[in-house]
Amino acid sequence: MSRLSIFPALPRSILSLSAVALLSLSPAVLAQPVPTPQAEADAAERAQRIAEDARRAELEAQGKALRDEAEATFKATEAGCYDKFLVNRCIDQAKRQRLDTIQRARALEAEARQIDLAQRQRAAAEVQASQRLAPPTEPAAPAPDPAAAQRGATVTPVPSPDVDIAPTPEADRIRRERAQSASDAAATAEAQRHARDAERAAKRTQAEAEAAARAEAAARDRARYEERLRKYEEEQAAKKK
């Protein structure tokens, strides 16, 4: 008995269905590229940057909210302190409470700055790595010598082995990443400069407001003291009569 006769022949209908199933596969599915490790790394890096940007924005918003809360609470408390007997003590307590809230805001803002610093350090490291991987630039071709051209007029010209080499996709990607990193670094530096200017302006405004508040409080205390002294003197004068 033949070895092939052990297995029965497959029905022709099953073979036809298998061929139809293979032909029905979408060419787009068959031609879909497999993600490379570099593409997966780039996607993970973009996702991490998006998450870090969201966290930094949240920290900055929380810090600003705490600062606004500190100022609003201090103003409301300070207004009520003038109705109390120990005015200066009440104002000092309100200032300490405001300082505690501002310190909480500073901690959140410091964490946001750490995230921004880590992002800029990674961008700088990527630029340095791309510069190391970039192919060296080719030297410029020497200028043609007229005398050599005249001497070689009788010689059969030989095609030059040098040909134009098109840039590779990897080199294009590195150049694009380098340009994007430089643009991001410039934008980050500009944003940081604006943030520092805004912070200095806010501190200056806050210091001026505190100085004005202290001067106003001192004037009110002096007026109250003079009023009490006047009433005391009037009472003493009335008793003498």
Side-chain angles (χ1 to χ4, degrees):
M1 172 181 277
S2 175
R3 184 177 298 176
L4 297 176
S5 64
I6 299 176
F7 302 98
L10 293 174
R12 183 172 299 175
S13 60
I14 296 178
L15 295 176
S16 300
L17 291 175
S18 300
V20 171
L22 290 175
L23 293 175
S24 63
L25 290 176
S26 173
V29 175
L30 296 175
Q32 184 176 5
V34 179
T36 62
Q38 182 63 36
E40 294 178 353
D42 293 340
E45 182 180 355
R46 286 193 297 269
Q48 180 183 359
R49 186 175 183 87
I50 291 173
E52 289 177 347
D53 290 341
R55 176 59 178 167
R56 182 180 61 183
E58 179 183 2
L59 291 171
E60 292 175 350
Q62 291 177 356
K64 184 178 183 303
L66 284 175
R67 286 183 178 274
D68 295 341
E69 177 187 352
E71 294 300 329
T73 304
F74 174 74
K75 290 180 180 178
T77 307
E78 183 187 21
C81 287
Y82 296 108
D83 297 333
K84 298 181 180 180
F85 181 73
L86 300 176
V87 178
N88 293 333
R89 181 181 178 183
C90 179
I91 294 177
D92 291 340
Q93 291 176 351
K95 288 180 179 180
R96 284 195 295 270
Q97 182 180 359
R98 180 182 62 177
L99 181 59
D100 293 339
T101 307
I102 290 178
Q103 286 177 348
R104 290 163 52 198
R106 289 174 180 172
L108 296 175
E109 293 167 352
E111 185 178 352
R113 286 193 296 270
Q114 287 295 330
I115 293 175
D116 180 70
L117 177 61
Q119 289 180 343
R120 290 190 289 108
Q121 288 176 346
R122 287 202 307 270
E126 291 174 359
V127 171
Q128 293 178 357
S130 64
Q131 290 176 351
R132 288 194 298 268
L133 294 175
T137 56
E138 298 181 357
D145 187 1
Q150 292 177 358
R151 289 193 301 269
T154 58
V155 180
T156 304
V158 180
S160 174
D162 296 335
V163 295
D164 294 335
I165 300 176
T168 62
E170 181 67 17
D172 288 340
R173 184 186 66 80
I174 291 174
R175 281 194 291 270
R176 288 195 302 269
E177 290 180 353
R178 186 187 305 173
Q180 184 63 35
S181 299
S183 178
D184 292 343
T188 301
E190 183 69 15
Q192 288 179 347
R193 186 178 64 81
H194 286 299
R196 287 193 298 268
D197 293 342
E199 185 177 0
R200 284 194 292 267
K203 288 182 179 180
R204 184 168 58 253
T205 303
Q206 180 179 355
E208 293 174 354
E210 290 177 354
R214 286 194 297 268
E216 184 179 357
R220 283 196 294 265
D221 292 342
R222 185 168 57 254
R224 270 196 299 271
Y225 174 77
E226 292 176 354
E227 181 65 19
R228 291 177 182 177
L229 181 60
R230 185 183 62 80
K231 289 182 179 179
Y232 176 78
E233 292 176 351
E234 290 178 354
E235 290 175 357
Q236 293 298 323
K239 289 180 181 179
K240 291 180 180 180
K241 292 180 180 179

